[in-house]
Amino acid sequence: MREGWDAAALDVEESLPAMAVWWSGGFEGGAGDRLGMGACVTRFACGGVAVGVKMAHCLADAAAMTGFVKGWAEMHCDLLMKDDEQRGLWSGIEAGNDEIHAADERDVEKVLHQLKEVNPAPVFDPLRLNAAATGDIDASAADPEVVTRARTMPQHRYDWWASGGDCPESMQLACAVPPGFDAKEIGDSIPWKEWDFDVEVAHRVLHFSEKELENIWKAASSGAGGKETETPSRISRHDALLAFVWMLVNRARGFSNDAGLVHLNMSLGLRARLSLPEYFVGSPLLLARVSSPGKEACDAGRLAATATQMRDTLGAFDRQALGAILHDTMFQESPQRVWNGFLGIRDVIVTSWARLGAYEISFDPRSGKGPWLVQPVMPAVDGIIEILEAPFIPEGE
């Protein structure tokens, strides 16, 4: 593992559009002049280019945003690779040339029509999620049996409306019960005492080499005796890495001799599980929880058990379970009322951009080179882990 890079030293805000997206300012106020998305292209004196994209999370998760940038890059490259006349035309458009003849406009329409056939169009159809819910979602009340099934799944169920008694001042509005709504508890009270809002937060990027990742996977795939099992392990390298990093986090937090539970809240994408299109627009995500006594989560000898627990937890969220969760959600007074995660000292939320191909995106059709750096922008709060595929780095560099 290479020395961690202090990513806080990079001011990514300078390369992002100067705009606010929906909910980016927290819970106060309405949408107002906030936008759904924005993009910004920055050219540097050295000749480099940065592409910054902001999207409201309710409209796009990492997969949707990456798909947008990928489609943008493909269209850009396709247009550059047309014949000389069309390339010259497009250059004129980019330069703001208003002297475009009718014939040229028809050429552009032809090119764009061709591109639509090559690049899959995004699908914005939220009703597809509704259709995946179990039972009758148009009934006057939720099905008690389905709700029971949904609420037995391994997830936190923190009720914002039941958490206002000792919440920080910055969260009072979020915990306030709207007039006319029933404040009967439907979940647990948020353990605010476990979250220190004043603690200084660091932002570190760790790079694991291929050899290091292989060693971590072998350790997580080993039996109790420390020897590799004869049958192929179903633990993925992603599982192994996450189990290893979570172990390090818990050790750093001082839980090596702690019998209390610690929690790993894993983001779970629903596109493949619900047969949604790859380019489905939105944030079809939920959080799945893995819980373990702190001292066990810190034990390197239990790395295989931890990775297996993660895999089994994710496997429990099959189509039937997800259908029940969607049914339960449909009948809630407010979809934002229940929080399935937390960011206190005993919790971690992990999100993964693995297999999204962010480093395969290229705006240069001639070289095909991808980006030098892909940098997700996350809130500066303690307890967020993001797993991202790295670009190929030759040994010794």
Side-chain angles (χ1 to χ4, degrees):
M1 180 175 66
R2 305 188 181 199
E3 184 178 350
W5 170 55
D6 182 5
L10 178 65
D11 188 1
V12 294
E13 292 294 333
E14 292 186 353
S15 300
L16 290 173
M19 51 162 279
V21 295
W22 292 333
W23 308 117
S24 64
F27 294 95
E28 295 184 4
D33 58 354
R34 299 179 187 273
L35 303 177
M37 68 84 60
C40 176
V41 177
T42 304
R43 295 183 180 273
F44 299 103
C46 64
V49 175
V51 177
V53 177
K54 277 186 179 181
M55 286 190 177
H57 208 330
C58 59
L59 294 179
D61 57 4
M65 185 168 66
T66 304
F68 165 76
V69 179
K70 188 179 297 184
W72 177 10
E74 289 175 354
M75 181 175 290
H76 175 78
C77 290
D78 287 344
L79 287 168
L80 289 180
M81 292 303 291
K82 297 302 175 182
D83 61 32
D84 292 341
E85 180 181 353
Q86 289 169 333
R87 285 205 305 272
L89 167 64
W90 193 254
S91 297
I93 295 174
E94 288 184 328
N97 186 354
D98 294 327
E99 297 180 2
I100 303 176
H101 301 292
D104 294 333
E105 293 176 353
R106 288 194 295 270
D107 287 339
V108 173
E109 292 176 0
K110 180 180 178 181
V111 171
L112 294 179
H113 177 73
Q114 293 171 346
L115 292 177
K116 288 179 181 179
E117 296 177 352
V118 174
N119 301 303
V123 177
F124 182 70
D125 188 3
L127 292 180
R128 291 201 184 191
L129 275 178
N130 293 21
T134 299
D136 183 6
I137 60 174
D138 294 320
S140 58
D143 185 322
E145 292 185 5
V146 177
V147 170
T148 298
R149 169 71 192 281
R151 299 186 183 184
T152 57
M153 296 304 295
Q155 293 180 289
H156 279 314
R157 281 190 59 82
Y158 289 129
D159 185 353
W160 284 97
W161 296 358
S163 305
D166 60 346
C167 74
E169 184 178 354
S170 60
M171 295 293 179
Q172 287 181 358
L173 187 60
C175 294
V177 182
F181 282 86
D182 185 1
K184 181 180 178 181
E185 293 186 12
I186 60 173
D188 301 321
S189 178
I190 298 175
W192 294 115
K193 293 181 180 179
E194 294 181 6
W195 189 351
D196 185 355
F197 282 76
D198 297 323
V199 70
E200 185 177 354
V201 178
H203 183 190
R204 294 290 187 270
V205 175
L206 307 178
H207 176 80
F208 294 87
S209 68
E210 183 178 356
K211 183 178 181 180
E212 289 169 334
L213 185 57
E214 187 71 11
N215 289 338
I216 294 171
W217 175 73
K218 286 181 179 179
S221 300
S222 299
K227 297 181 179 180
E228 290 185 53
T229 55
E230 296 181 0
T231 56
S233 172
R234 62 194 181 95
I235 295 174
S236 69
R237 285 160 177 76
H238 191 284
D239 299 331
L241 178 61
L242 181 53
F244 179 73
V245 172
W246 190 41
M247 177 189 72
L248 298 182
V249 169
N250 285 309
R251 286 181 178 181
R253 288 177 167 180
F255 292 134
S256 295
N257 297 309
D258 194 306
L261 291 179
V262 293
H263 312 285
L264 178 71
N265 304 284
M266 300 180 290
S267 294
L268 183 67
L270 306 186
R271 286 179 178 81
R273 289 174 172 83
L274 297 179
S275 301
L276 298 173
E278 179 183 357
Y279 288 92
F280 183 85
V281 177
S283 286
L285 300 169
L286 55 77
L287 290 173
R289 188 197 68 215
V290 170
S291 299
S292 175
K295 59 183 180 181
E296 293 185 7
C298 293
D299 186 356
R302 290 186 52 82
L303 194 62
T306 300
T308 300
Q309 184 183 5
M310 292 177 182
R311 176 54 46 187
D312 290 342
T313 298
L314 294 178
F317 287 83
D318 55 19
R319 186 142 192 161
Q320 289 71 33
L322 294 175
I325 292 172
L326 288 171
H327 178 96
D328 185 20
T329 304
M330 296 289 181
F331 287 92
Q332 291 180 15
E333 299 95 328
S334 169
Q336 291 81 33
R337 177 177 176 178
V338 175
W339 188 14
N340 297 131
F342 189 58
L343 285 168
I345 189 66
R346 293 184 174 274
D347 280 82
V348 161
I349 291 179
V350 61
T351 180
S352 176
W353 285 30
R355 300 185 182 88
L356 295 183
Y359 276 99
E360 299 171 6
I361 299 174
S362 176
F363 282 86
D364 186 350
R366 297 170 183 85
S367 70
K369 291 183 179 179
W372 175 76
L373 174 68
V374 176
Q375 182 67 19
V377 180
M378 292 290 177
V381 291
D382 187 29
I384 294 181
I385 297 175
E386 180 158 15
I387 297 179
L388 182 70
E389 292 171 325
F392 174 74
I393 301 177
E395 288 292 335
E397 291 190 8

